[in-house]
Amino acid sequence: MEMISEQKIAASREQVWAALNDTEILKKSMPGCESFDAISENTFEAKITAKVGPVKAKFKFNVELTDIRPPHGYLISGEGQGGVAGFAKGSAMVELSEDGSGTILSYTVKANVGGKLAQLGARLIDGTAKKMADEFFSNFNAMLSGNESS
Amino acid sequence: MVDNGIGASVLRKEDNRFLTGKGNYTDDVNVLGQTHAYFIRSPHAHATIDRIDVSAASASEGVIAVFTGDDLEKDGIGPLICGVNVTSDDGEPHRAPLHPALAQGKVNYVGDHIAVVIAETLAQAKDAAEKVEIDYGVLPAIADTATAADNGQQQIHDVAPGNTCYNWPFGDKSAVEEAFETAHKISTLELVNNRMVTNPMEPRAALGDYNSGTEEITLHVTTQNPHVHRLVLSAFNQLAPEHKLRVVGPDVGGGFGVKIFVYAEELVVGWACRKVNRPVKWTSDRTEAFMSDAHGRDHVAFAEMAMDERGKFLAMRVNTTANLGAYLSTFSTMVPSYLYAFLLAGQYSTPLIYSEVKAVFTNTAPVDAARGAGRPEATYLLERLVDVCAEDIGLDPAEIRRRNFIPVDAFPYQTPVVQCYDSGDYPAALEKALSLADYDGFSERAKEAKSRGKRRGIGLSSYVEACGIAPSAAVGQLGAGVGLWESAQVRFNPTGNVQVFTGTHSHGQGHETTFAQLITEQLGVPLENIEVIHGDTAKTQFGMGTYGSRSLAVGGVAIAKACEKLIAKGKKIAAHALEAAEGDIEFEEGNFSVAGTDKSMNIAEVAFNAYVPHSYPEGLEPGFDENAFFDPLNFSFPAGTHVCEIEVDPETGEVEIVKYSAVDDFGKLINPMIVEGQVHGGIVHGVGQALLEGCQYDADGQLITASYMDYAMPRADNVPSFDVDYAPTNPPDNPLGVKGCGEAGAIGAPPAVINAITNALGIKHIDMPATPENVWRAAQSMG
């Protein structure tokens, strides 16, 4: 299932685009993220603890940016191994459009899981992915709009 | 008349220990120095294993060893085998991919075994498992039965092009085609037989214990057939020679087929206990069971029946695709072939039948026998098709069955599909079931239900099955690697009590009571003086185990044969003691007596004389202990008619079974209470398949029904109180006159339930499971 949502951000499109390429901001925005390190220009390694239904696991994600269209958007996708918990794959297609002095960030999220995560949490994955994406982009928004809550 | 003999509903002897928590299951067995195994399983449905690094896991706290497929291969252990050959239409044997107990370079389903961690505690083993690093090269997966063999599909095994294990045609194709060309009417039906997870209450478990002094491995394991486990593990998996391998299947909490097979975990635990020289235990958790127990059913089929003007069946043609999963489980190949196509005649005199079966590999758990094994699939297809035929030709479902039944005077009846039915009276069971169900009053009840906004339906299922598995020569001819006789030893102790050693295995069937009743009847020994012993290769002489409703029909006869030997020997001993000629000794109700006199002695005294032979017939061996093997002459053919009446709430799609009547022919009943329990359990199993159960893999081969949150098992409130009766016939091919009852309910129930739903909704077909959602959609589409 694809989930579509958006955030209104009180910052210019150029500012938002710059933030989308700032690993420190990405790391802080990601719920449960312990590290987010650049491997090469558009690939990263992230360590994230996530919980899907009854299964909690630490994932080592390989994250990649593709379809990069400054300052319009990109596709951020990741694939993570969670050990015996199984694996997770997810992506968000991010689109930026100007809205007066602000920016509308819209995103389309896809996710799927395998192994124990699928066996016990398949019914919950869409909800979990949506929740994580919403948290990510609202954290991101809060940091950019200057009213970081955490 | 002896008390508690044949026909008495004696309370089960074994229930005293089961109901007071004194059962002894594999996981209850703990030995000094025991370690714990945890299996690392594939999270991917199909992938290469590019790298495994166990170094961090091996160094983890409490870890004794971490083993992979390479370690097994180095020791020459495995691979797992399939014991029945099916010849494909190209004349070659079925395609059998390598099935290593721990993966070698590739995994083929979610749950496939990759490595095992052995540690002091289970928690330490699980913690260490997190540290095993595995790099996968993920491949596309195929989980769908119908399309697995299509062109362009991802190939799973090099040895099986087109993901095909075998194509198995059976019957006279051209004669069937000819009959179809000239038929008055042809009815067709496409259907799915839904994949099931068997779910015995006790999950699988194994405990391996190696004695370096005797060089013997003792393997406690959840098995329905300890000697078959020993044979396969010794002869084919190279675990240990038979005389150095003891297999114990202690109390087993339900089998339903799933504990027949030899699994990877059992072999690995048996091997690892010698490798680490410590006992090793593994117990499946419920999700592991969903992933790695052999699954059942999973067919898609297209069936056609050619009829004349009167609805008489002229010929039947069936095309079936059966999913065998990623590898061949122990007896998997025979289930959708011999146990399926040979039952397609059902209760009918259809003269011509042609069947084609394509068995396919998919990236799913292996599929093998599950309660009924092939016969539920055949019965569901046939009994659904018969209802479609009735609708097409304009006959009542009961009437079309009457017109096509094999006549009572036609037995023994040779079907066009190998089986020769020795006995049966199908009209008698049908009429009795219709009367029990008040079939004639149905239309009134339907009218009344309609006034409440409900749609009421009634469905019939007239099934026949082949059990008492099986004559060794017949199964040998078909490609089985074993003989299917049974053995028994009946031993009197000097004090007159009896120990019966049977090669069958009880895992809920009540053998300890039923077999004791046989002895009571035949030898006149009181029930409380008889102990039935099974499940340990070091105690019981030999055996092929319990499946295919064979324990009484085959194992019971072996017991009776051993008793006959005891009576014959007892006559010699009694004749000597009573100073009479052997020919004058009669035996009745436990007493040997001299004909026409009041001189007699009890069998307990005879046993005492045999062990204390101070005054004893010259040349006669001491001891009172006899052994017998029995190889059946034929399968047995239980049959019956089940009638299911349901109400559908068209607003919610919920199906309520309001009345269920079953009339079965099991031949002679030994313990009617136990038989009725088996009927109840079987029907509930079948209702589960019809209404609730369905194992689901997603398009990537991920198992998404792996717990009771997602896989619905039947509960008490899904079924009514059943009306059960019998219409027995006497099977001439069985010396005890018995037929077997363990699977009948699971075979008879699914079509009865679905036929009731299609009747209620006025639709041609609905696939199982008929969940509220599926039924609601069907009801809505009818307006």
Side-chain angles (χ1 to χ4, degrees):
Chain A
M1 196 169 87
E2 290 190 348
M3 291 149 290
I4 300 169
S5 195
E6 63 177 38
Q7 295 272 337
K8 258 186 198 171
I9 301 176
S12 72
R13 184 158 74 175
E14 278 65 29
Q15 286 172 310
V16 175
W17 176 250
L20 278 175
N21 288 280
D22 181 332
T23 52
E24 197 52 33
I25 290 179
L26 292 176
K27 179 190 165 185
K28 282 187 179 165
S29 303
M30 191 66 193
C33 184
E34 286 166 23
S35 66
F36 196 100
D37 302 317
I39 303 294
S40 68
E41 195 185 341
N42 292 314
T43 59
F44 310 87
E45 190 179 280
K47 284 189 178 142
I48 296 168
T49 301
K51 192 164 179 289
V52 181
V55 185
K56 189 178 179 184
K58 194 176 276 187
F59 291 90
K60 201 169 89 181
F61 270 95
N62 294 312
V63 180
E64 195 180 8
L65 301 180
T66 52
D67 196 12
I68 301 167
R69 291 162 285 117
H72 300 285
Y74 61 41
L75 177 71
I76 181 167
S77 48
E79 198 175 323
Q81 297 292 338
V84 293
F87 63 87
K89 286 186 215 174
S91 67
M93 177 62 89
V94 183
E95 300 285 350
L96 303 178
S97 55
E98 291 180 320
D99 178 41
S101 61
T103 304
I104 292 177
L105 182 156
S106 64
Y107 51 96
T108 305
V109 177
K110 277 193 241 179
N112 64 45
V113 287
K116 192 176 279 186
L117 284 164
Q119 286 144 25
L120 299 177
R123 286 174 300 117
L124 310 167
I125 186 59
D126 287 341
T128 305
K130 171 101 167 61
K131 181 167 162 279
M132 284 183 74
D134 288 347
E135 264 181 64
F136 175 86
F137 287 108
S138 56
N139 290 343
F140 180 82
N141 189 354
M143 261 182 281
L144 269 185
S145 308
N147 51 353
E148 192 178 340
S149 54
S150 55
Chain B
M1 261 286 289
V2 295
D3 290 336
N4 302 328
I6 290 176
S9 284
V10 181
L11 290 181
R12 301 199 325 165
K13 288 164 73 85
E14 46 270 75
D15 282 345
N16 184 42
R17 74 173 187 280
F18 291 146
L19 297 178
T20 57
K22 302 292 185 192
N24 184 40
Y25 298 88
T26 299
D27 193 54
D28 294 327
V29 181
N30 292 296
V31 288
L32 196 66
Q34 175 175 295
T35 66
H36 296 267
Y38 181 76
F39 284 86
I40 296 169
R41 297 168 187 279
S42 174
H44 297 287
H46 197 200
T48 55
I49 299 173
D50 300 335
R51 184 183 69 98
I52 305 183
D53 184 348
V54 301
S55 53
S58 300
S60 187
E61 192 189 345
V63 170
I64 294 152
V66 183
F67 295 118
T68 67
D70 289 346
D71 298 303
L72 279 177
E73 200 185 18
K74 262 180 239 156
D75 281 9
I77 299 295
L80 303 175
I81 59 139
C82 174
V84 182
N85 179 49
V86 175
T87 303
S88 196
D89 60 355
D90 57 5
E92 298 291 320
H94 68 255
R95 310 308 193 255
L98 187 74
H99 188 182
L102 295 174
Q104 284 166 8
K106 190 162 177 273
V107 284
N108 293 304
Y109 69 100
V110 169
D112 205 352
H113 319 73
I114 297 172
V116 62
V117 181
I118 295 162
E120 297 290 345
T121 70
L122 181 60
Q124 287 171 335
K126 285 183 171 180
D127 283 347
E130 295 278 0
K131 296 176 186 162
V132 174
E133 290 177 28
I134 304 171
D135 290 346
Y136 298 98
V138 179
L139 299 166
I142 170 80
D144 179 49
T145 308
T147 58
D150 286 0
N151 284 335
Q153 283 291 13
Q154 174 66 31
Q155 296 297 293
I156 302 170
H157 301 290
D158 292 341
V159 297
N163 295 328
T164 300
C165 177
Y166 57 76
N167 285 306
W168 186 69
F170 186 80
D172 188 338
K173 187 179 185 180
S174 59
V176 167
E177 269 168 12
E178 214 169 287
F180 269 81
E181 275 162 24
T182 56
H184 168 72
K185 185 106 199 155
I186 294 167
S187 291
T188 64
L189 179 65
E190 192 172 356
L191 51 68
V192 171
N193 201 293
N194 46 327
R195 187 182 182 106
M196 292 176 77
V197 180
T198 304
N199 279 305
M201 193 182 287
E202 178 208 20
R204 291 189 298 114
L207 168 64
D209 188 3
Y210 176 65
N211 183 325
S212 59
T214 60
E215 298 180 328
E216 185 186 52
I217 295 170
T218 300
L219 183 67
H220 280 81
V221 62
T222 44
T223 176
Q224 299 178 215
N225 31 241
H227 285 92
V228 173
H229 260 80
R230 189 179 69 164
L231 178 67
V232 172
L233 289 167
S234 291
F236 301 100
N237 303 149
Q238 290 77 41
L239 180 59
E242 270 187 289
H243 68 298
K244 292 293 182 187
L245 177 60
R246 176 183 174 193
V247 175
V248 188
D251 285 328
V252 172
F256 312 106
V258 82
K259 292 171 183 169
I260 298 171
F261 322 120
V262 176
Y263 289 90
E265 297 91 347
E266 300 161 1
L267 175 59
V268 169
V269 160
W271 164 77
C273 70
R274 180 163 55 192
K275 197 82 180 159
V276 303
N277 203 13
R278 294 269 301 271
V280 178
K281 180 188 260 187
W282 168 77
T283 302
S284 171
D285 69 25
R286 189 56 69 179
T287 289
E288 281 184 291
F290 273 100
M291 267 193 282
S292 66
D293 287 2
H295 293 174
R297 319 284 192 254
D298 202 342
H299 288 193
V300 291
F302 181 71
E304 304 163 274
M305 186 77 87
M307 288 178 284
D308 72 9
E309 293 80 354
R310 295 188 62 252
K312 190 99 173 112
F313 303 152
L314 303 174
M316 184 165 82
R317 189 158 54 191
V318 183
N319 192 299
T320 308
T321 303
N323 190 346
L324 295 181
Y327 303 100
L328 298 180
S329 174
T330 318
F331 294 108
S332 57
T333 49
M334 75 186 293
V335 177
S337 51
Y338 312 141
L339 292 177
Y340 169 71
F342 293 172
L343 268 298
L344 285 171
Q347 298 193 352
Y348 309 108
S349 58
T350 318
L352 295 165
I353 296 173
Y354 178 70
S355 153
E356 282 181 7
V357 177
K358 180 185 280 296
V360 297
F361 292 108
T362 59
N363 296 113
T364 63
V367 179
D368 206 326
R371 201 177 198 167
R375 294 152 288 164
E377 295 90 317
T379 302
Y380 179 65
L381 176 132
L382 181 59
E383 288 303 290
R384 276 266 53 237
L385 180 62
V386 167
D387 265 33
V388 172
C389 290
E391 177 70 24
D392 288 351
I393 205 95
L395 285 174
D396 184 272
E399 182 55 26
I400 198 167
R401 285 173 170 80
R402 282 187 198 105
R403 287 191 188 180
N404 285 286
F405 278 154
I406 296 162
V408 183
D409 58 12
F411 290 91
Y413 179 80
Q414 179 59 55
T415 69
V417 282
V418 176
Q419 296 290 8
C420 181
Y421 302 160
D422 66 343
S423 61
D425 186 345
Y426 306 143
L430 175 77
E431 300 309 331
K432 203 166 184 178
L434 294 179
S435 146
L436 196 62
D438 185 22
Y439 193 70
D440 293 339
F442 171 74
S443 56
E444 280 305 310
R445 297 193 293 278
K447 234 180 265 172
E448 186 278 329
K450 201 172 179 189
S451 72
R452 289 182 281 112
K454 299 286 182 72
R455 296 194 197 173
R456 199 163 172 121
I458 195 162
L460 305 182
S461 162
S462 297
Y463 75 93
V464 61
E465 66 141 325
C467 60
I469 290 173
S472 297
V475 296
Q477 215 170 11
L478 290 173
V482 291
L484 289 173
W485 41 264
E486 198 43 76
S487 94
Q489 185 174 357
V490 180
R491 176 190 298 164
F492 273 75
N493 292 318
T495 50
N497 45 40
V498 176
Q499 287 174 302
V500 186
F501 301 84
T502 171
T504 66
H505 187 282
S506 186
H507 29 277
Q509 295 89 341
H511 294 175
E512 291 169 41
T513 307
T514 301
F515 290 168
Q517 287 180 257
L518 284 181
I519 305 270
T520 288
E521 179 78 25
Q522 207 173 350
L523 300 183
V525 177
L527 204 64
E528 61 271 20
N529 290 351
I530 303 165
E531 195 70 24
V532 175
I533 293 150
H534 63 87
D536 183 344
T537 58
K539 290 182 183 168
T540 58
Q541 59 297 333
F542 236 103
M544 295 308 294
T546 287
Y547 38 81
S549 305
R550 70 190 299 274
S551 299
L552 181 61
V554 189
V557 176
I559 291 172
K561 299 268 180 208
C563 289
E564 284 169 14
K565 290 184 184 176
L566 284 168
I567 292 168
K569 185 171 186 179
K571 282 183 176 172
K572 290 186 170 60
I573 298 167
H576 181 85
L578 298 171
E579 296 175 331
E582 189 189 332
D584 290 337
I585 302 293
E586 291 173 343
F587 181 72
E588 201 178 349
E589 293 183 21
N591 292 308
F592 292 93
S593 52
V594 183
T597 74
D598 60 356
K599 288 206 291 184
S600 85
M601 67 191 293
N602 187 264
I603 195 166
E605 297 171 70
V606 168
F608 183 82
N609 279 10
Y611 288 107
V612 189
H614 295 166
S615 168
Y616 200 65
E618 207 180 312
L620 188 68
E621 280 180 29
F624 208 48
D625 180 4
E626 293 289 348
N627 209 356
F629 283 67
F630 175 66
D631 202 329
L633 306 168
N634 192 356
F635 289 81
S636 71
F637 299 98
T641 289
H642 289 199
V643 185
C644 178
E645 194 164 330
I646 58 111
E647 279 188 10
V648 175
D649 184 335
E651 299 302 316
T652 64
E654 196 174 344
V655 174
E656 185 193 354
I657 299 177
V658 290
K659 191 169 166 60
Y660 195 104
S661 314
V663 174
D664 297 298
D665 171 8
F666 299 137
K668 192 186 282 178
L669 308 186
I670 309 300
N671 184 320
M673 179 200 72
I674 288 178
V675 171
E676 190 169 343
Q678 290 287 314
V679 172
H680 285 197
I683 294 169
V684 175
H685 211 139
V687 166
Q689 178 173 23
L691 295 182
L692 300 157
E693 299 183 49
C695 175
Q696 299 287 333
Y697 285 86
D698 72 9
D700 295 326
Q702 289 295 331
L703 176 63
I704 54 174
T705 50
S707 77
Y708 294 133
M709 291 291 286
D710 299 299
Y711 187 95
M713 294 286 285
R715 302 176 186 215
D717 65 350
N718 296 119
V719 289
S721 188
F722 303 118
D723 297 318
V724 175
D725 206 341
Y726 306 96
T729 60
N730 183 35
D733 289 347
N734 188 279
L736 281 176
V738 298
K739 296 193 175 191
C741 66
E743 297 161 295
I747 294 168
V753 175
I754 298 298
N755 285 344
I757 295 172
T758 56
N759 175 251
L761 298 180
I763 57 175
K764 180 180 176 182
H765 182 62
I766 185 168
D767 272 325
M768 302 189 289
T771 59
E773 182 188 346
N774 294 343
V775 173
W776 181 82
R777 285 182 195 284
Q780 297 307 306
S781 70
M782 297 308 292

